[in-house]
Amino acid sequence: MFQITKRTIFIFLIAISISGCGYTAQYGKINSLNFSINLINFSGDRDFNNAIKSKLNTYNKNSDKNFEIKFTSKYEKRITLKDSSGAAKEYELKISVNFNITHDGQEKDIKMIETFKMQKIDDGFEESNYERSIKNNFAENISQRLVNYLFQIK
């Protein structure tokens, strides 16, 4: 005869409670957003701006809810730690972006900042590739924050 253990009952109850709780992913509806982002003007760091532009162009739909966006980015790479000979050992990478958003004739300015501490890499090519990937991560984070902000605007 089949013997039911406490563990089997516990797993069964957890499975039932999770499936019936109505959980949806936090960003589950992001792809079905019905608004349009038109990038009018942008200036600053070219690599970062191109990454932001490519991420936000996916929201270029025909919609009643249109946002016109201008932005300026400023990228800084600052030495935060040096060794005894004065050579850099650690950098702080910082991007600050000022967005000017126009929606229904109203303008709003917001500023977003991302920072990251990066260790010095001996190979200059590897370091520049790593720095480029950090810029792409900055662009991903900031574009996602911007989309979330725009989604909340009524």
Side-chain angles (χ1 to χ4, degrees):
M1 182 107 190
F2 179 70
Q3 189 172 22
I4 299 176
T5 64
K6 289 182 182 179
R7 184 173 186 220
T8 307
I9 293 172
F10 179 73
I11 290 173
F12 180 72
L13 290 176
I14 293 295
I16 288 176
S17 65
I18 288 176
S19 66
C21 71
Y23 171 79
T24 57
Q26 181 179 3
Y27 300 113
K29 295 183 180 181
I30 292 295
N31 292 333
S32 64
L33 295 179
N34 193 19
F35 60 77
S36 176
I37 296 175
N38 300 317
L39 297 175
I40 304 297
N41 189 10
F42 49 92
S43 62
D45 185 76
R46 188 180 72 185
D47 293 335
F48 176 79
N49 290 350
N50 287 338
I52 283 277
K53 181 181 173 186
S54 70
K55 291 176 187 344
L56 293 179
N57 275 340
T58 60
Y59 299 99
N60 200 0
K61 306 172 184 171
N62 290 332
S63 172
D64 295 336
K65 197 172 181 181
N66 295 312
F67 297 97
E68 292 182 349
I69 297 178
K70 302 174 190 171
F71 70 90
T72 304
S73 64
K74 182 180 177 189
Y75 178 74
E76 298 175 40
K77 180 179 181 180
R78 187 173 61 91
I79 298 172
T80 57
L81 185 64
K82 295 181 180 183
D83 62 10
S84 59
S85 66
K89 286 186 74 172
E90 184 180 85
Y91 299 102
E92 180 184 62
L93 307 179
K94 179 180 178 182
I95 190 92
S96 60
V97 187
N98 293 315
F99 290 101
N100 178 276
I101 303 165
T102 305
H103 174 62
D104 288 340
Q106 296 181 350
E107 282 191 26
K108 185 144 193 164
D109 293 321
I110 61 170
K111 183 175 186 175
M112 296 183 186
I113 299 172
E114 291 277 330
T115 60
F116 183 79
K117 291 201 184 250
M118 178 181 93
Q119 298 294 319
K120 169 106 171 95
I121 300 174
D122 292 332
D123 184 7
F125 180 72
E126 287 295 321
E127 185 174 301
S128 66
N129 283 341
Y130 185 51
E131 188 174 344
R132 193 173 305 115
S133 73
I134 292 169
K135 281 184 184 181
N136 282 331
N137 289 342
F138 282 165
E140 180 68 37
N141 292 343
I142 287 179
S143 64
Q144 192 63 50
R145 287 170 52 196
L146 179 66
V147 167
N148 287 339
Y149 176 81
L150 297 176
F151 180 68
Q152 295 173 3
I153 294 176
K154 301 292 181 199

